[in-house]
Amino acid sequence: MAVAANTPIDLVNGVYERLPGRIAEGRQALDRPLTFSEKVLFNHLREPTEQRLERGRSYNDLDPDRVAMQDATAQMALLQFMTAGLQQVAVPSTVHCDHLIQAREEGHVDLMAALENNHEVYDFLESVSAKYGLGFWKPGSGIIHQVVLEQYAFPGGMMIGTDSHTPNAGGLGMIAIGVGGADAVDVMTGYAFNIRWPKLIGVHLTGELDGWSAPKDIILKVAEILTVKGGTGAIVEYFGPGAESLSATGKATICNMGAEIGATTSVFAYDTAMARYLKATNREAIADAAERVAADLRSDPEVYDDPDRFYDEVIEIDLRTLEPLINGPHTPDRARALSQLGREASGEGWPLDISAALVGSCTNSSYEDITRAASIARVASAKGLTARTKLMVTPGSERVRATIERDGLLQDLEAIGAVVLANACGPCIGQWARDDVKEGDVNVIVNSYNRNFPRRNDGLASTLAFVTSPETVVALALSGRLDFDPRTDALTNDRGDEVRLDIPVGEELPAEGFESGEAGFIAPPEDGERITVKVDPASDRLQLLDPFPAWDGQDFVELPVLIKAKGKCTTDHISAAGRWLRYRGHLENISGNLFLGAVNAFTGEAGIGKDQLDGTSKSFPDIAKHYHEAGVKWVAIGDENYGEGSSREHAAMEPRFRNAAAVITRSFARIHETNLKKQGVLPLTFVDPSTYQQIDEDDRISILGLAELSPDQPVAARIHRPDGSTVDFQCAHTMNDEQIEWFRAGGALNIIRARQVG
Ligand code: MIC
Ligand code: SF4
C-alpha cells in the first residue's frame, strides 16, 4: 500500500460511498435518528449487523482509515509490530518525529542537535517505516497532530493515533482516538480496533467569541465543568451556532484538549469552516466530496432540535459571556477567569512574577493562533513594549512556520523578544534545557499547552504551570505578571507612558495561501523487503522485545504493595517524559523511571518507598527491580483517574516488565486502563472506594478466583495484615472475553505471535 503525504481522494470517496447505507442501517438498528459521531462510528464498524451497541458497555470492532504515531510512542509500537512477521502494514500509517527535539537555543540549532543526538532512533524509525510501508515525517516537519490536520484528516473519517491528543483531528470532523501502541499494532496487522461503544456528551455553543476570548477558553471552561475524568468513555460532540462560528483550527484546539477531560474523542460536524481549511491546504477534491455528502456529515435534524433526547449529558455555553480563562497549576481543570487569578495567586502564595511564557504545542500553534498572538505583539512593540519575561514560540508545523515567516508574523513576535523554537513539542513535554531555575525555586510559567502536571515542562516539581490561550500568554509575557488583565489594566512602556494592549485580531487562513509543508515527508519504497532494520544489542536506546511470561494459572497470593499512590497519579507520574524520552525504545532502561513522580501515600514523598524484601527505603524503580530479580510479583494501588494523561504504554509495560500482577484503583483513565490490559496487568477497581484507605504499607494483597475471571463478574481480593488478620474486599473490572485472554496469554506480544503461528 503506497502511503502518500496526503489522504488519497479514493480513500475518502470509499468512506463516503458506504456512508448513506451505513447510516440507514444505524437508524434501523437503534430505531432513532443518529448523531454525527454515531454515523461515523457505524460507517467504520467491521460487522455492522452483528454487533450489540450499548453505550458505555458493549465492546465493538471498528476499522479505522488511518494510523498515526509519533516518535516517542512509535518506537515501542513498531518494536511490537515487527514481531508480527508481516511484510506491510494493513492500513495507511505514518510516523512523525516531533517529541525528541530539545529546546535549547532556537529552532534551527536545536533541530541540528536533535538530528545528531537521536540519529539512532530516527534511523530506526525511518528504516522500519520504509520496510513495512509507513510514511515517515522527518524531524522538523511538525507536531504530529498539526501535520495530521493539514495532510490527513477528513470529515467523516476515522483514525487512531499513539498519542492522547489525536482527537485534534475532530476539528476537521474526524473521529480520531488516542491509543497505546499495542492497539495500533492490532490495526496495522489487519485486526479490528476494539473499544467500548461510547457515551455521548453534547456541548451546545451559542453566540460568538469576541475580544480576548479564544477557542481555548471554551475547552478550559469545559474542563472546569467536566473535570479531568468527566469525559471518560464518552465522545464529546460540539454543535450549535457558536460551533459554526469557529475556524477548523479553533475547533481542533477544543478537540485536542478534550484529552484533558478523559474523553474518548471530541468532534465537530462538517461545516463551511472545514471546507475552507481543506481548500487552503490544497485538498479541494476532499472538500468537494464532503460537500456532496454534507447532510450525512452532521447529526440528524431531530438531534439538533432536541439534544437532551440523544446525548447522555448536554452542556450549554454562551460564547458571548465566556471570559478569558487560565487553568492550573498541576491540573488542567483548575479554572478561573484571568481577572481573578491575581487575587487567588496572592492568597495561595504563588509568585506573581512569571518566569517564562510559552506559545505553541499541538493545541495552539495554527496560523490563526499565531496571527492573533502576533497582532498583540505588533501593536505592543509599536507602543514601546517588550516582553518582561522569557517568551518562546513553537510553530506547529513547517507549513505554519514557513507561512508565518513569509507573512512577517515571526518578526512581530521577535520584536517583543520572542525566541522561535523548532516545529516540535519542545517544552510541552519536558524537552526544555532550562537553566534559569533549579529544583526548589518556586516559579510560575504560563503556556498555551494542554497539560500542567508537576515536572511536565522543565522537570521541576517547584514550577507552577498555567495553561491558557496564546493571546493571554502573550499579554502576560508583556506584563510579566500573573495579576495582569489586558482588558482592564495598562502597562508602562519604555518612555514611561501608560499604554493599553489592543484586542487581538487574527486571520483564519493566510490570504496568500500556505507555504508548502511536504518537504519533510519520505514515502516508503514500493518494495521494502530488502531493507534490514538494525537494532544494536549494545544500544542504550533501543531493545528488541521479548514476550512477557504467560499467566501461570495461579491466584496472586500475598503480594507486596510496591506503591500506594496518593492523589493524582498521571502517566507523567508513572513514567516521566523529559530526559527519559531518550529511552522510549528500551524497556529495561526506561523502567528506571517507574513511579518516580508518584506520591507515596504512606510518607507523602514522591518516588520513594519501602522495599518489603529488606525493609530499606529506596526509589520505586529500584524496589521494582529488586522484586523482579527476586521473582516476586507485586501490586500497585491508585486513587481516582489513575493513569490520566498520555497514551504512553511504557506506563503499563514498565510495571509489567518489573513483575506487576495488578493495579487496583478507585478509577482509571481509558487509554491507560487498556494499556494495562494489553500488557497483561490486571486493572481492577475497588467496588467500595473506601478500601483504598484500608491498605497499609506492610500489608500484602491476594487476588483470588482468577481461574474463573469473566466479564462483568467481581474479583475477590484480600488484605493480609502483618498481625495475621485479613480483610476481604471486592474488585470490579471492565475486561471482556478477549481482554481476559490477553491476561491469560501474558500480554499482547504473545497474542501477536500466536496470530502469526495460527
Ligand atoms: C503528552 O502530551 O503527554 C505526550 C507526550 O504527547 C503523550 C505521548 C507520549 O508520552 O509519548 C500523549 O499525550 O499521549
Ligand atoms: Fe507534543 Fe505536547 Fe502535543 Fe503531547 S501535548 S503531542 S507533547 S505538543
Side-chain angles (χ1 to χ4, degrees):
M1 174 186 321
V3 176
N6 283 111
T7 296
I9 184 67
D10 292 350
L11 192 160
V12 179
N13 283 336
V15 171
Y16 291 168
E17 268 157 33
R18 287 196 316 260
L19 190 59
R22 285 293 184 94
I23 291 175
E25 283 176 43
R27 288 194 191 112
Q28 206 172 1
L30 296 179
D31 195 20
R32 59 166 172 78
L34 301 181
T35 77
F36 172 53
S37 34
E38 287 173 327
K39 292 181 182 181
V40 181
L41 291 174
F42 259 102
N43 198 26
H44 289 85
L45 275 175
R46 182 159 274 199
E47 304 283 352
T49 47
E50 283 167 27
Q51 303 205 32
R52 190 171 62 93
L53 306 168
E54 223 180 306
R55 283 189 196 175
R57 289 199 61 77
S58 61
Y59 281 92
N60 296 94
D61 279 345
L62 293 149
D63 281 316
D65 304 312
R66 304 200 66 91
V67 176
M69 289 165 284
Q70 43 87 344
D71 52 2
T73 49
Q75 299 170 59
M76 223 28 119
L78 291 170
L79 283 165
Q80 295 177 77
F81 175 83
M82 281 163 61
T83 66
L86 293 182
Q87 291 195 339
Q88 290 269 306
V89 284
V91 293
S93 305
T94 48
V95 170
H96 303 257
C97 296
D98 54 1
H99 279 62
L100 300 180
I101 303 172
Q102 198 184 34
R104 188 177 287 273
E105 286 183 40
E106 59 78 43
H108 183 70
V109 176
D110 294 347
L111 178 60
M112 291 302 130
L115 290 172
E116 195 177 313
N117 295 337
N118 303 317
H119 76 89
E120 182 186 2
V121 170
Y122 293 148
D123 288 352
F124 168 75
L125 291 174
E126 190 178 334
S127 59
V128 181
S129 299
K131 183 167 180 69
Y132 298 108
L134 293 89
F136 180 75
W137 289 83
K138 290 192 286 194
S141 54
I143 307 175
I144 177 170
H145 310 301
Q146 184 64 31
V147 175
V148 165
L149 196 73
E150 289 167 359
Q151 310 287 138
Y152 295 118
F154 64 95
M158 184 190 166
M159 66 177 288
I160 57 168
T162 59
D163 192 279
S164 66
H165 293 103
T166 303
N168 191 67
L172 261 188
M174 191 156 195
I175 294 285
I177 301 180
V179 298
D183 270 332
V185 173
D186 278 345
V187 174
M188 290 190 294
T189 52
Y191 285 81
F193 171 56
N194 188 265
I195 191 166
R196 271 201 155 151
W197 197 250
K199 290 183 273 178
L200 292 178
I201 298 175
V203 181
H204 183 219
L205 302 177
T206 50
E208 281 191 28
L209 293 169
D210 64 8
W212 283 85
S213 301
K216 183 66 163 282
D217 296 308
I218 301 176
I219 185 60
L220 294 176
K221 185 76 195 167
V222 171
E224 178 184 29
I225 297 169
L226 285 175
T227 78
V228 287
K229 55 184 272 228
T232 308
I235 292 185
V236 184
E237 278 189 47
Y238 292 82
F239 60 95
E244 288 178 19
S245 71
L246 302 169
S247 65
T249 51
K251 291 176 169 81
T253 294
I254 296 167
C255 294
N256 173 301
M257 207 184 148
E260 273 50 73
I261 54 168
T264 299
T265 193
S266 304
V267 74
F268 285 78
Y270 174 72
D271 65 10
T272 51
M274 294 187 194
R276 287 196 298 276
Y277 186 75
L278 285 167
K279 287 179 184 156
T281 47
N282 309 331
R283 291 175 288 174
E284 290 81 0
I286 297 183
D288 294 344
E291 203 52 52
R292 286 194 288 275
V293 291
D296 289 341
L297 295 174
R298 306 177 54 71
S299 296
D300 285 334
E302 295 86 339
V303 176
Y304 296 123
D305 291 344
D306 186 8
D308 290 318
R309 221 183 106 203
F310 298 92
Y311 294 101
D312 298 284
E313 183 178 351
V314 176
I315 294 171
E316 296 280 345
I317 301 180
D318 180 350
L319 302 187
R320 279 165 302 213
T321 60
L322 192 65
E323 277 192 61
L325 299 176
I326 181 160
N327 293 14
H330 300 329
T331 182
D333 55 354
R334 184 167 182 184
R336 88 281 293 155
L338 177 65
S339 53
Q340 304 303 313
L341 180 58
R343 191 148 26 102
E344 189 178 336
S346 305
E348 294 281 348
W350 300 329
L352 289 176
D353 285 332
I354 297 168
S355 63
L358 307 105
V359 172
S361 89
C362 57
T363 313
N364 272 128
S365 51
S366 65
Y367 184 80
E368 184 177 42
D369 284 334
I370 304 291
T371 54
R372 283 175 62 87
S375 82
I376 306 168
R378 189 161 52 242
V379 175
S381 149
K383 291 185 179 176
L385 295 168
T386 49
R388 299 217 174 115
T389 184
K390 206 176 279 165
L391 174 61
M392 285 175 268
V393 180
T394 39
S397 67
E398 177 53 18
R399 186 168 223 167
V400 167
R401 193 209 59 76
T403 312
I404 60 179
E405 181 174 48
R406 181 200 67 198
D407 293 351
L409 305 169
L410 282 184
Q411 290 89 316
D412 290 335
L413 289 161
E414 282 164 344
I416 59 162
V419 172
V420 180
L421 302 173
N423 313 319
C425 302
C428 180
I429 193 55
Q431 291 282 38
W432 184 9
R434 194 175 184 198
D435 49 20
D436 57 329
V437 287
K438 54 179 191 324
E439 186 59 272
D441 295 345
V442 179
N443 73 102
V444 161
I445 63 171
V446 294
N447 64 53
S448 71
Y449 306 165
N450 42 47
R451 297 199 167 127
N452 49 11
F453 308 141
R455 298 188 178 80
R456 178 162 171 102
N457 303 114
D458 56 10
L460 306 177
S462 52
T463 293
L464 308 175
F466 291 84
V467 293
T468 185
S469 69
E471 294 85 328
T472 301
V473 172
V474 173
L476 293 181
L478 286 161
S479 81
R481 286 178 63 89
L482 268 193
D483 55 356
F484 175 72
D485 183 347
R487 295 168 311 159
T488 49
D489 303 338
L491 292 169
T492 311
N493 71 5
D494 52 3
R495 294 180 290 276
D497 300 331
E498 293 236 310
V499 292
R500 304 282 291 258
L501 299 180
D502 283 11
I503 288 173
V505 284
E507 276 171 56
E508 178 184 343
L509 294 161
E512 289 174 43
F514 278 107
E515 289 288 292
S516 166
E518 291 185 15
F521 180 73
I522 302 180
E526 283 280 297
D527 176 10
E529 218 187 321
R530 275 189 300 273
I531 295 172
T532 44
V533 176
K534 283 194 228 92
V535 174
D536 180 353
S539 168
D540 75 335
R541 298 199 60 176
L542 294 166
Q543 183 184 46
L544 293 175
L545 290 169
D546 283 327
F548 300 120
W551 177 55
D552 61 8
Q554 304 299 310
D555 282 346
F556 297 132
V557 179
E558 297 193 36
L559 307 188
V561 176
L562 176 87
I563 177 173
K564 174 168 153 181
K566 182 173 151 192
K568 222 187 218 327
C569 190
T570 72
T571 47
D572 281 26
H573 294 78
I574 304 168
S575 173
R579 67 188 184 88
W580 290 96
L581 286 173
R582 187 176 169 77
Y583 302 118
R584 282 295 185 85
H586 197 296
L587 182 55
E588 189 171 345
N589 285 350
I590 199 164
S591 296
N593 74 0
L594 181 59
F595 290 122
L596 276 183
V599 177
N600 183 338
F602 306 119
T603 63
E605 208 177 350
I608 294 175
K610 178 171 168 188
D611 184 334
Q612 293 291 339
L613 296 184
D614 59 21
T616 60
S617 168
K618 288 191 188 126
S619 78
F620 287 125
D622 283 348
I623 305 173
K625 184 162 183 251
H626 192 193
Y627 291 173
H628 180 205
E629 285 168 358
V632 173
K633 293 196 172 69
W634 49 270
V635 297
I637 307 295
D639 205 325
E640 294 284 3
N641 209 26
Y642 177 90
E644 175 185 339
S646 155
S647 67
R648 62 191 76 146
E649 62 194 327
H650 308 75
M653 291 179 96
E654 293 174 34
R656 178 69 172 104
F657 171 66
R658 288 301 187 204
N659 253 9
V663 179
I664 314 176
T665 69
R666 283 179 161 148
S667 63
F668 285 98
R670 173 188 63 87
I671 307 179
H672 184 63
E673 183 182 26
T674 308
N675 286 345
L676 288 169
K677 291 176 185 173
K678 279 258 144 136
Q679 300 304 334
V681 180
L682 283 179
L684 304 175
T685 49
F686 298 110
V687 168
D688 175 357
S690 71
T691 309
Y692 170 90
Q693 272 131 7
Q694 298 202 36
I695 296 173
D696 281 331
E697 193 167 29
D698 298 333
D699 291 349
R700 302 271 170 152
I701 306 288
S702 294
I703 301 169
L704 307 165
L706 287 175
E708 283 83 51
L709 189 63
S710 47
D712 300 321
Q713 294 307 308
V715 176
R718 183 170 298 148
I719 304 173
H720 303 259
R721 308 268 192 224
D723 66 4
S725 63
T726 58
V727 181
D728 286 347
F729 65 101
Q730 295 253 301
C731 294
H733 71 88
T734 60
M735 284 177 284
N736 61 13
D737 285 320
E738 191 187 339
Q739 294 167 346
I740 290 172
E741 209 33 61
W742 301 341
F743 165 69
R744 293 206 175 106
L749 219 52
N750 296 288
I751 301 276
I752 295 168
R753 291 204 177 181
R755 283 172 180 164
Q756 188 188 340
V757 174

